[in-house]
Amino acid sequence: MAMRKSMIDIAWEDFARLSLEEKVPYLRQADGLPYHTLFAQQFDTPLLERLGALANSIRAVAKTRAGMDFLRHLICHKRAMLYFSQPSSRTFLSFASACQILGMPIGEVRDTATSSEYKGESREDSVRTFSSYFDLIVMRSPEKGLAEHMAWVLSNSERPIPLINAGSGKDQHPTQALLDIYTLQRSFERLGGLRERTIVMVGDLARGRTVRSLACLLAGFDNIRQIFVAPPALQIGEDVQQTLRQRGVTFELSGDLRAALPLADAVYMTRIQDEWDQVKGESAGIDTARFKFGLEELALLRSHAIVMHPLPRRDEIDPAVDRDPRAMYWRQMRNGMWIRSALIAMTFGCEKRILDYHRANM
Ligand code: NCD
């Protein structure tokens, strides 16, 4: 049984100082499953496999009306708050859909100008307010570490409820990494699984939180080689490289997309994250022309390889690529709804009931 610690027993300043590994035991339920979901590194490979299996069951059960009816009653006695103080389409809608699949009514704040934060209420008080009405908070914020702090605040309130990080700053986007891993698992299911694969990540790797989270999760799978292709100014952070080194992962940094493509089992494209520019026009001064994926790049890709993108895209993937069966990004997006359903179901202890229903009825 995985070790568990309680956030009640530790001051915020002491918790904040811990390494990610040291924080993990504080995020678990008594059965070892996730309570708060804050960062990708809290999911080890067996848990990722288990989550993927649950997502597969949910999507199979959801195919029938009776199955949808079963799912809709699972968590209908709990409510979820979607608190998104940063733009989002897919993450918001897929979480909203996941809650609906499981029967959870939702509330939302997407613009703090419409909440009491506008009147000067602290975020601690806002979040504490949500916990009076809701049983789960899904939170996206431009601020690094805020989700962690709010999880600690909630755990130390009279009404503790779980929090799921739906993207925090440039740092972490754990549920995107979950859906990316799920997409890779499904794509290579009939080819021996997610092992001994080469994953090529392209674009703004310095500020793309999805890549940062995914790179760390991939480190747990056997013999995954990671190739980071970016202009020097946008290369993957030293902190991620250090994590990969510590875990003995084979990785390289490259500036040559065309050289990497024939090696790839999956190409993970990302957009330039210019909303994080420190000075105006900073990103516009970087030459990104060689980091785009069009029909010529597609021709360099092996027949079984897939093209992924967390979306939204700009011009880094030519829409002409969309029609190719290797273009995985739209299916990847829908996978987000299933894996988020699985995560919420697991958080609320419904895993066994779903697997049992699936086994008995399918
Ligand atoms: C990503 C994000 O918000 O980090 N979007 C998403 O959640 N699918 C990627 C991005 O905005 O580029």
Side-chain angles (χ1 to χ4, degrees), residues 101-113:
I101 289 168
L102 299 168
M104 276 184 114
I106 55 172
E108 61 175 79
V109 167
R110 303 198 64 177
D111 177 1
T112 50

Side-chain angles (χ1 to χ4, degrees), residues 90-91 140 173 176 209-210 271 273 275 310-312:
R90 276 149 285 271
T91 307
R140 167 171 285 199
H173 196 346
Q176 178 72 42
R209 55 192 175 189
T210 69
R271 74 177 169 89
Q273 308 268 324
E275 67 269 39
L311 301 175

